[in-house]
Every structure is written in structure tokens, then in C-alpha cells.
Amino acid sequence: MTKVMTREEREKLSNRLILNFGILLCGALIMLYVYNFISAGYAIQTAYTVGIIGIISAVAAIVFFVLGKTKFPKIKNYSAIFFGMFIAALVTYAPRFGFVTKLVPAFTMKVAVVSVFILMAVYFIVLSIVTAVILKTHPEAPVEKKKIQHASKGKKKKKKK
């Protein structure tokens, strides 16, 4: 049995997809700057900056999630943004770890940034497919149409003398 969704629920789901696209677009622009800094020869400074951003985003993800569960339920969803930032920073910073470069010698910071782009694209494609399937399998609830009453109907205008 399929669940019937209201128009508001369908709109909320579509808006979530659009919001995720906007956030991913902003993230892609930031990662493009990171890639350009690495290409310009600032790999060490960029790695430190990415590491600091990763730590801050991990702490922010935990704080937003815990506060969202306990006191402010509306901010719980924002923890996913910081969690995504943490994953992007972790993948970008991974070549600085010694064991990663021993396992995959070709995994440089440039390759890591490209990997983050690919992960972002895969995430959005999967999210789009899931949203489309949900919208396709859950029919829209019929809206009860109210009869419109016009003010002039039923009333006769008085003639002026």
C-alpha cells in the first residue's frame, strides 16, 4: 500500500532537493578554490587550512546534531551540512596521512579534490533518483475543491431613482 502525500509534503521534498543542489554547488565552488590553491603550489598551507576546517566542521556537526535532538529539532538537519564538510575535508586531507599514500601512491591532494567532486555528484544523483521514486510511487492526495460563491450571485442590485 502506498502512502498518499499531500501537496505540501511533495513540495517540501522537492524543495529539499533544490536546497541540496544549492549547497552542493557552493561546496563545489569552494573545492574549486582549494584545487586552484593546490595547483598554485600552496599545498601545505591548503592542507593545514583544510585540516582546521575539518576539525571545526566535525565539532559543529556533533553540536548541531546533539542540540537538534535535545532542544532545537529544526537545526538537526543542518548537522548534515557540517558532516558533509567534514567528509570532504577528510578526503582532501587524506594524502597527508602516511598510510594512505602507501596504499595508493597516486592519491595526491589534486586527486583527492577530484574525488570529492565525484562523491558530490554521486550523492546528488542518488538523492535525485530517490526523490523521483518517492514522488512517483506516492500519489498526491486529492484536494477537496470548495465551491466558490460570488458576491453578486443571488443578490439583485437596487436601482437608483
Side-chain angles (χ1 to χ4, degrees):
M1 185 173 163
T2 59
K3 180 187 173 212
V4 178
M5 295 177 73
T6 63
R7 179 173 287 181
E8 289 80 18
E9 291 172 333
R10 293 173 70 84
E11 190 174 314
K12 184 177 178 182
L13 194 60
S14 298
N15 287 345
R16 186 182 313 162
L17 182 67
I18 293 168
L19 180 66
N20 276 310
F21 178 73
I23 291 169
L24 286 172
L25 188 62
C26 291
L29 288 173
I30 292 169
M31 292 307 293
L32 189 61
Y33 279 111
V34 169
Y35 185 83
N36 286 335
F37 284 134
I38 293 169
S39 297
Y42 298 109
I44 295 172
Q45 296 91 336
T46 306
Y48 290 137
T49 305
V50 166
I52 291 168
I53 290 172
I55 292 168
I56 292 170
S57 61
V59 170
I62 292 168
V63 167
F64 271 60
F65 187 76
V66 169
L67 284 177
K69 283 287 192 181
T70 58
K71 293 183 181 181
F72 310 104
K74 290 186 177 183
I75 68 168
K76 183 179 75 169
N77 293 334
Y78 293 105
S79 67
I81 297 170
F82 292 109
F83 184 66
M85 286 174 54
F86 170 70
I87 291 175
L90 186 65
V91 171
T92 305
Y93 196 80
R96 303 290 294 170
F97 299 125
F99 68 90
V100 174
T101 53
K102 288 180 184 176
L103 293 173
V104 185
F107 195 68
T108 62
M109 283 189 76
K110 284 185 178 182
V111 173
V113 172
V114 172
S115 300
V116 170
F117 280 127
I118 293 170
L119 287 172
M120 290 167 72
V122 167
Y123 169 76
F124 185 71
I125 290 168
V126 169
L127 184 67
S128 299
I129 291 170
V130 168
T131 302
V133 167
I134 290 172
L135 290 175
K136 191 84 166 173
T137 58
H138 294 77
E140 187 173 336
V143 179
E144 187 178 306
K145 294 183 180 179
K146 295 179 182 177
K147 196 171 186 180
I148 299 173
Q149 289 185 340
H150 296 284
S152 63
K153 198 174 188 179
K155 291 182 181 178
K156 293 184 179 178
K157 293 183 181 179
K158 294 180 181 179
K159 291 183 182 179
K160 293 183 180 179
K161 294 186 180 179

